[in-house]
Amino acid sequence: MSLYTAETRRLTKRRFTRFFLIGVVLVLGAIAAGMFLTNHKNTPEVVAAAQAKADREFQQAVVRAEADRKACEAQTQPGSDCSQMWTPTREEFQAQWYMPPTFDFRKNFKDMVTTLASILAVAAFVIGASFVGAEWSSGGMMNLLLWRPQRLKVLNTKLAALLVLLAGVTVALSALWTGAFALIASLRGTLDGMTSGAWQSYLLMELRGLVMVLVAGAVGFGLASIGRHTAVAMGVAIGVLVVLQAGLGTVLAMAQVKYLEMYLAPTWIAAWMTKSVELIDYNAPCVGSGDTCVQPSLTLTWQMAGAGIVILIALVLGTAMWTLRKRDIT
């Protein structure tokens, strides 16, 4: 049996891996079910009812506004102007505002893709960290290296088995996720506007989500390998994402740092998934004058986020491989 086959079997046979993935599937199923139950199809009857309600609200607002104007004229002193009081217009009472929520696939599915990628990335990080971390803490890595003394080959084979599994799971769940929400849109919303270009855009977004999942798994794997324990990777994740990011955000806000969101990880993740994120410096004076006066802005692109991903992977995995070669196996 080849080393890769053995590592793949070791990973897939782990109860933690199986149960964690089952939990992920249940969470995703709950989200899809919730979206199905909370959205409704805008049938002609629903549209007609919403239009009727909008008309009633408009008429009632007209009556109230007229009564308020007459009361103002009766109570104010001579020379007072009540003509500036609010007068309802038909545009302020549109039927679409009185319709139940509906799932517009073209507008709303991008949020669902980001949700899927985020959940799978967390799962990938935990599975990757526990896979190699458990090997170190149980002594399995030391035993394996007795009959396979090629340290880097062993580590890279484990990483390859992990990434192949994560890629397969992500692709399968992405296909099911897309199909499920296309069905939800068909039954409880609309698929209007889904041209070939729109489908291609979502496919590319899901591919970027796949990359994010693989990166998360590799980072978790690398951190656990460096620390030789699953808890090390989990501790780093908690420290960076919770303590450091929350504390850093607070400090930067108090210091009124320019484009403070640029220093926070979620901003870069959003830039990667949605192709770009525009940051606005609300502390700086606006540029221009009158209606054309706008705040300075900075756009983070997916290419910039991709460069950060490459640096992160090189740093974590490079350190993991270096420490494996230099440190004793004890």
Side-chain angles (χ1 to χ4, degrees):
M1 181 184 296
S2 68
L3 179 60
Y4 174 78
T5 303
E7 292 302 325
T8 300
R9 286 173 59 86
R10 193 193 313 274
L11 176 60
T12 56
K13 294 295 183 180
R14 296 185 72 231
R15 285 179 295 178
F16 180 85
T17 302
R18 293 183 176 184
F19 291 154
F20 205 89
L21 289 178
I22 290 173
V24 168
V25 171
L26 292 177
V27 169
L28 294 175
I31 293 174
M35 294 299 294
F36 178 83
L37 295 175
T38 56
N39 286 277
H40 304 274
K41 189 79 170 180
N42 284 337
T43 62
E45 292 78 10
V46 173
V47 175
Q51 185 62 58
K53 185 173 182 179
D55 292 339
R56 289 196 303 270
E57 292 286 343
F58 173 66
Q59 296 298 331
Q60 293 172 3
V62 169
V63 172
R64 288 196 300 269
E66 181 63 20
D68 291 342
R69 187 183 62 80
K70 291 181 178 180
C72 174
E73 293 175 346
Q75 296 176 5
T76 56
Q77 300 296 326
S80 299
D81 185 13
C82 296
S83 61
Q84 300 300 320
M85 295 182 64
W86 173 64
T87 302
T89 62
R90 177 66 68 176
E91 290 74 18
E92 296 172 325
F93 296 85
Q94 299 183 21
Q96 61 185 11
W97 299 339
Y98 297 89
M99 294 181 186
T102 186
F103 188 80
D104 188 325
F105 193 92
R106 185 182 177 96
K107 294 180 179 179
N108 303 133
F109 187 59
K110 62 180 180 180
D111 294 331
M112 296 299 102
V113 174
T114 301
T115 299
L116 173 67
S118 300
I119 293 175
L120 291 181
V122 172
F125 183 91
V126 176
I127 291 174
S130 66
F131 178 42
V132 69
E135 291 286 299
W136 279 112
S137 59
S138 66
M141 180 69 81
M142 291 179 286
N143 293 332
L144 177 59
L145 290 175
L146 289 177
W147 63 277
R148 286 278 188 171
Q150 299 167 305
R151 297 185 179 190
L152 293 186
K153 182 178 179 180
V154 170
L155 185 66
N156 288 328
T157 302
K158 286 181 176 290
L159 177 61
L162 171 69
L163 296 182
V164 169
L165 173 67
L166 293 177
V169 170
T170 302
V171 170
L173 289 180
S174 295
L176 292 174
W177 192 249
T178 303
F181 278 93
L183 180 62
I184 291 173
S186 178
L187 299 177
R188 297 289 182 126
T190 178
L191 285 166
D192 293 346
M194 287 306 298
T195 62
S196 59
W199 284 111
Q200 181 180 6
S201 176
Y202 278 131
L203 175 60
L204 293 175
M205 188 176 183
E206 289 179 338
L207 287 176
R208 292 194 298 273
L210 170 62
V211 172
M212 189 171 77
V213 173
L214 296 180
V215 168
V219 169
F221 180 92
L223 291 175
S225 181
I226 294 170
R228 299 189 177 183
H229 203 289
T230 305
V232 173
M234 303 306 296
V236 171
I238 294 174
V240 171
L241 297 180
V242 178
V243 179
L244 179 60
Q245 290 290 290
L248 181 62
T250 301
V251 171
L252 293 178
M254 294 176 62
Q256 296 185 347
V257 173
K258 187 176 183 179
Y259 307 123
L260 66 90
E261 296 91 347
M262 183 175 62
Y263 302 94
L264 304 179
T267 302
W268 291 97
I269 294 174
W272 172 254
M273 289 299 300
T274 61
K275 296 178 67 174
S276 66
V277 170
E278 183 181 14
L279 307 180
I280 300 176
D281 184 13
Y282 292 102
N283 296 320
C286 63
V287 179
S289 60
D291 296 336
T292 61
C293 185
V294 295
Q295 302 294 134
S297 63
L298 172 67
T299 299
L300 302 181
T301 65
W302 69 272
Q303 292 94 337
M304 298 166 63
I309 289 175
V310 172
I311 294 173
L312 176 63
I313 286 293
L315 179 62
V316 173
L317 293 184
T319 303
M321 294 178 186
W322 182 83
T323 55
L324 183 62
R325 288 192 61 182
K326 296 299 182 181
R327 290 171 60 185
D328 292 335
I329 306 300
T330 57

